[in-house]
């Protein structure tokens, strides 16, 4: 999970923003209650969305209380007290974090391997507890990491293929939020599209880093050497070093433009499908907050990523 699924705060009512912050802070405290203080570092907006979705579907009575924390030691903040949604979201957050660290140990460079191994050791006890509590979810995430690694080793992968392991994992996890068969199918669709969104926007955000490190990125693979845009330029017209520099710059900019256009189209489709599925769910409370995240927040997160990538130069070879 990467933190792109968050509200567009300026369009939330004050009371809605307070409720959202209360759920976010409550989840942070739940990590500490369920596990340890280190586990609170795995807190994310994405897990807060899962908690909010679960709360919206449930009838469980909720209680808020003003609490202090190390980030706000002098002023108490509204905080939701322990509930099923927070417990489940904390468990899922730990499982995702641990398996991600495990994958980093296998794939990253020496420094990241060392840091990931150290953090993995720190989360080991928490992981065992979460795995015991959520054995089904643990298997889903374990299979997801394996499938994702296998997929990224393929020579040719489409965007849809690249998204599928993440999307499937979040779909299966979302389906566990209800016992009603009809709701399970809809929740799977919501989770699947949420996973697609997270994977795609993260791939766009990582374009520069993946290009520099020669790491897998579905968009870069789509525009690899053998699939370069044919500019139909006569090689005889390139008569100087300056001409060659201009040619290379124009080629890279055109490829970046094509990548961003494809990513935007895919993200718009994904968010639309997510919204369509979400509208079928029997949400009992806090629907305006979830609507804000889906219709405004996710779009805002995407636009910020595209703006950043648009300003940098990608020397695509």
């Amino acid at each position: 999970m990467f933190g792109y699924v968050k509200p567009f705060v300026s369009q939330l009512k004050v009371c809605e923003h307070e409720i959202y912050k209360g759920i976010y802070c409550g989840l942070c405290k739940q990590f500490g209650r369920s596990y340890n203080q280190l586990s609170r570092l795995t807190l994310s907006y994405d897990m807060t969305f899962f908690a909010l979705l679960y709360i919206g579907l449930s009838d469980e009575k909720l209680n808020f209380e003003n609490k202090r924390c190390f980030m706000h030691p002098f002023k108490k903040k509204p905080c939701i007290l322990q509930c099923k949604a927070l417990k489940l979201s904390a468990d899922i957050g730990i499982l995702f974090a641990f398996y991600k660290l495990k994958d980093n140990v296998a794939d990253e460079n020496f420094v990241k391997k060392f840091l990931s191994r150290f953090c993995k050791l720190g989360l080991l006890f928490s992981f065992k507890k979460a795995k015991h509590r959520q054995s089904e979810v643990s298997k889903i995430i374990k299979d997801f990491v394996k499938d994702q690694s296998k997929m990224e080793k393929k020579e040719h992968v489409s965007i849809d293929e690249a998204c599928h392991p993440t999307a499937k994992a979040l779909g299966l996890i979302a389906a566990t939020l209800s016992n009603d068969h009809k709701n399970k199918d809809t929740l799977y669709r919501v989770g699947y599209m949420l996973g697609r969104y997270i994977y795609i926007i993260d791939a766009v955000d990582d374009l520069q880093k993946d290009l520099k490190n020669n790491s897998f990125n579905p968009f870069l693979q789509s525009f690899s050497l053998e699939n370069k845009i044919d500019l139909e330029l006569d090689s005889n017209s390139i008569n100087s070093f300056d001409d060659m520099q201009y040619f290379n710059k124009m080629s890279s900019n055109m490829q970046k433009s094509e990548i961003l256009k494809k990513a935007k189209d895919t993200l718009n489709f994904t968010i639309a499908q997510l919204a369509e599925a979400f509208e079928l769910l029997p949400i009992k409370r806090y629907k305006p907050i979830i609507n804000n995240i889906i219709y405004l927040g996710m779009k805002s997160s995407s636009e910020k990523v595209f703006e950043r990538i648009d300003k940098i130069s990608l020397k695509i070879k």
Side-chain angles (χ1 to χ4, degrees):
M1 302 297 223
F2 305 99
Y4 302 106
V5 187
K6 53 189 176 183
F8 190 61
V9 175
S10 63
Q11 291 297 318
L12 282 176
K13 294 179 181 178
V14 174
C15 60
E16 291 169 347
H17 191 208
E18 290 299 307
I19 289 170
Y20 180 82
K21 288 193 297 183
I23 294 172
Y24 183 85
C25 293
L27 180 56
C28 182
K29 288 186 176 295
Q30 186 62 50
F31 275 109
R33 279 193 298 267
S34 294
Y35 301 105
N36 53 41
Q37 297 308 307
L38 176 64
S39 70
R40 295 172 77 168
L41 297 176
T42 65
L43 175 69
S44 72
Y45 290 112
D46 309 321
M47 283 297 99
T48 305
F49 179 82
F50 260 92
L52 183 59
L53 184 61
Y54 190 7
I55 287 170
L57 289 166
S58 75
D59 293 311
E60 184 180 7
K61 184 179 178 181
L62 302 177
N63 293 298
F64 285 80
E65 189 175 297
N66 289 331
K67 297 274 191 179
R68 287 191 178 91
C69 71
F70 69 95
M71 292 297 291
H72 304 282
F74 303 113
K75 186 177 180 181
K76 291 184 177 182
K77 300 280 185 179
C79 180
I80 189 173
L81 301 183
Q82 184 167 267
C83 64
K84 291 179 181 178
L86 295 186
K87 290 179 181 178
L88 176 62
S89 298
D91 292 343
I92 296 171
I94 289 293
L95 292 170
F96 263 114
F98 186 84
Y99 280 116
K100 176 60 180 171
L101 289 169
K102 188 176 180 180
D103 187 53
N104 287 347
V105 170
D107 295 339
E108 295 289 358
N109 59 44
F110 176 77
V111 175
K112 288 187 177 179
K113 279 179 186 287
F114 177 79
L115 291 174
S116 296
R117 189 174 282 112
F118 178 78
C119 293
K120 180 168 161 274
L121 186 62
L123 285 179
L124 183 59
F125 180 69
S126 298
F127 165 73
K128 289 181 177 179
K129 284 178 67 176
K131 184 179 179 181
H132 177 72
R133 290 174 179 173
Q134 307 293 338
S135 57
E136 180 184 354
V137 174
S138 178
K139 185 179 185 309
I140 290 170
I141 299 174
K142 182 179 179 180
D143 291 343
F144 144 68
V145 172
K146 188 188 302 181
D147 292 344
Q148 194 76 46
S149 179
K150 190 183 299 182
M151 180 275 300
E152 292 179 0
K153 289 180 172 62
K154 290 183 179 179
E155 189 174 351
H156 298 290
V157 179
S158 69
I159 302 300
D160 288 341
E161 285 178 303
C163 295
H164 183 66
T166 303
K168 179 183 176 183
L170 289 187
L172 291 172
I173 291 171
T176 66
L177 301 183
S178 175
N179 292 320
D180 182 277
H181 182 70
K182 184 178 179 181
N183 287 345
K184 274 184 174 293
D185 291 342
T186 306
L187 280 165
Y188 177 84
R189 184 69 174 169
V190 169
Y192 190 93
M193 289 301 162
L194 182 69
R196 270 180 64 95
Y197 168 83
I198 291 172
Y199 185 90
I200 293 167
I201 195 60
D202 186 61
V204 175
D205 206 9
D206 284 346
L207 275 170
Q208 187 178 32
K209 183 189 76 173
D210 290 339
L211 187 61
K212 179 181 177 181
N213 298 332
N214 196 30
S215 300
F216 174 84
N217 188 298
F219 292 106
L220 294 176
Q221 193 186 73
S222 296
F223 290 84
S224 58
L225 184 60
E226 62 269 25
N227 294 314
K228 271 191 173 181
I229 301 170
D230 185 2
L231 297 178
E232 297 292 344
L233 291 179
D234 185 353
S235 60
N236 293 326
S237 67
I238 302 176
N239 298 317
S240 68
F241 178 72
D242 288 340
D243 287 340
M244 181 60 76
Q245 279 191 317
Y246 175 76
F247 175 85
N248 289 336
K249 183 178 180 180
M250 182 168 62
S251 176
S252 292
N253 285 339
M254 288 184 69
Q255 290 188 32
K256 183 177 77 170
S257 176
E258 287 293 312
I259 287 173
L260 295 184
K261 182 180 183 305
K262 185 171 185 178
K264 285 177 184 178
D265 290 344
T266 307
L267 280 170
N268 287 337
F269 168 79
T270 301
I271 293 173
Q273 292 293 305
L274 169 57
E276 184 179 307
F278 171 72
E279 292 299 337
L280 300 175
L281 290 174
I283 301 297
K284 301 169 185 175
R285 52 189 166 184
Y286 307 148
K287 187 172 182 179
I289 304 175
I290 306 175
N291 280 341
N292 176 284
I293 295 171
I294 294 174
Y295 290 101
L296 299 175
M298 291 168 68
K299 183 179 179 182
S300 176
S301 293
S302 303
E303 288 174 350
K304 288 177 182 177
V305 171
F306 285 121
E307 285 173 10
R308 185 184 70 80
I309 296 296
D310 199 44
K311 292 176 182 178
I312 63 178
S313 176
L314 296 179
K315 296 180 180 179
I316 305 171
K317 300 180 180 180

